[in-house]
């Protein structure tokens, strides 16, 4: 597929000590594309996400965002983190700040918005994720699904070029998974560029442009969901799918 590349990884290698966790990884994510990353535990999915917003440095190869190499430190790095938002399994909200403050803070500090303007934008985003009436609560007063939607609103408040999700629904009770997936589905439809590590195969089938299957630090398959789910090529993918689709 001809795409306008937003995120590009070329021959990326990453080690933890002797452990080679990303092995010659090549991946292009086009603007507006949704790429779902799946694979067995320890295959490098989180490390891949963390490398894209430079929470993890790499040892060789290159990663570019919008044609620019990732900045290494300082202000430029903080800028990158706001341009490539990340949503984690564990929400990571500031516990001693209200929901509204959680979403406003980065806008004021990093994006240099005035507080009332930032608050207005925060309320807009809360409305969008279905939490308009929760602005003054603290994170602990919300359900997991609500907290995760706040985390998504907080990432969106920075007007990111792309969003990375690392198992955003894995810590949630089953009845809360859908409310988060629906917000993500909506973002996908609106054209947000997204890299999503998830075991939610329904989401992969309905929202992803491509499925990337990783095993042992390598990208083993990179195909449309339709192709991947109906005729996986590699034994690793076949084996993985037979295990997860049994549940
Ligand atoms: N900070 C670290 N120090 C040392 N080794 C690490 C570190 N983080 C991850 N690893 C190792 O790197 C490999 C890849 O880990 P990673 O977390 O990227 O896998 P994953 O595919 O996200 O797995 P899971 O599905 O369990 O989340 C694993 O072998 C892991 O133990
Ligand atoms: Mg992981």
């Amino acid at each position: 597929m001809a795409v306008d590349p937003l995120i590009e990884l070329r021959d990326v290698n990453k080690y933890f000590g002797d452990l080679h966790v990303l092995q010659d990884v090549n991946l292009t994510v086009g603007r507006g594309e949704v790429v779902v990353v799946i694979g067995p535990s320890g295959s490098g999915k989180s490390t891949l996400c963390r490398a894209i917003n430079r929470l993890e440095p790499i040892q060789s190869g290159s990663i570019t965002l919008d044609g620019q190499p990732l900045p290494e430190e300082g202000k430029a790095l903080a800028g990158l983190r706001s341009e490539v938002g990340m949503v984690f399994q564990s929400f990571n909200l500031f516990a001693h700040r209200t929901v509204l403050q959680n979403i406003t803070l980065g806008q004021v500090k990093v994006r240099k918005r005035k507080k009332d303007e930032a608050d207005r934008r925060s309320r807009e985003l809360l409305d969008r994720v279905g939490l308009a009436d929760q602005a003054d609560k603290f994170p602990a007063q919300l359900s997991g699904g609500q907290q995760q939607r706040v985390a998504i609103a907080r990432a969106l408040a920075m007007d990111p070029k792309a969003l990375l999700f690392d198992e955003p629904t894995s810590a949630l009770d089953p009845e809360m998974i859908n409310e988060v997936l629906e917000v993500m589905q909506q973002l996908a439809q609106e054209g947000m560029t997204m890299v999503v590590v998830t075991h939610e195969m329904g989401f992969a089938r309905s929202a992803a442009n491509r499925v990337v299957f990783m095993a042992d630090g390598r990208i083993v398959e990179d195909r449309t969901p339709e192709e991947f789910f109906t005729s996986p090529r590699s034994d690793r993918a076949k084996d993985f799918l037979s295990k997860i689709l049994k549940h």
Side-chain angles (χ1 to χ4, degrees), residues 1 9 26 49 52 68 81 83 98 100 113 123 125 132 144 150 167 214-215 218 228-229 239:
M1 182 167 49
L9 289 84
N26 286 282
C49 278
I52 293 173
Q68 300 296 316
R81 298 264 162 80
E83 290 195 329
T98 64
L100 189 75
R113 283 185 194 138
R123 288 187 191 281
L125 288 165
V150 173
E167 303 204 26
M214 289 187 76
R218 291 181 186 278
F228 180 73
F229 289 115
D239 182 50

Side-chain angles (χ1 to χ4, degrees), residues 126-239:
L126 276 173
D127 190 38
R128 191 158 147 199
V129 299
L131 296 172
D133 48 353
Q134 308 292 327
D136 300 322
K137 289 194 177 165
F138 287 89
Q141 296 172 296
L142 302 184
S143 73
Q146 291 173 324
Q147 290 186 57
Q148 195 59 302
R149 284 182 283 150
V150 173
I152 294 172
R154 184 174 62 176
L156 287 173
M158 308 302 277
D159 300 324
K161 287 182 177 167
L163 285 180
L164 311 174
F165 294 83
D166 191 1
E167 303 204 26
T169 60
S170 298
L172 299 178
D173 291 335
E175 70 271 22
M176 290 166 194
I177 291 176
N178 276 338
E179 64 192 43
V180 172
L181 292 179
E182 274 163 25
V183 168
M184 292 167 60
Q185 189 95 41
Q186 180 79 34
L187 289 174
Q189 272 162 17
E190 289 166 6
M192 176 60 74
T193 306
M194 295 160 60
V195 176
V196 184
V197 178
T198 185
H199 298 299
E200 295 294 331
M201 296 301 127
F203 177 82
R205 276 178 184 275
S206 62
N209 299 98
R210 281 157 49 215
V211 171
V212 164
F213 175 75
M214 289 187 76
D216 298 332
R218 291 181 186 278
I219 293 182
V220 178
E221 304 207 23
D222 179 349
R223 306 167 63 199
T224 67
E226 174 66 21
E227 287 170 334
F228 180 73
F229 289 115
T230 54
S231 51
R233 287 196 187 113
S234 60
D235 289 340
R236 292 299 299 264
K238 283 178 198 164
D239 182 50

Side-chain angles (χ1 to χ4, degrees), residues 45 77 97 99 164 246:
K45 306 180 298 295
L77 183 56
R97 304 273 186 173
V99 163
L164 311 174
K246 257 184 230 154

Side-chain angles (χ1 to χ4, degrees), residues 94 97 100-110 118 122:
F94 305 117
R97 304 273 186 173
L100 189 75
Q101 288 168 343
N102 261 279
I103 304 173
T104 292
L105 208 63
Q107 297 181 66
V108 173
K109 285 203 166 161
V110 181
S122 300

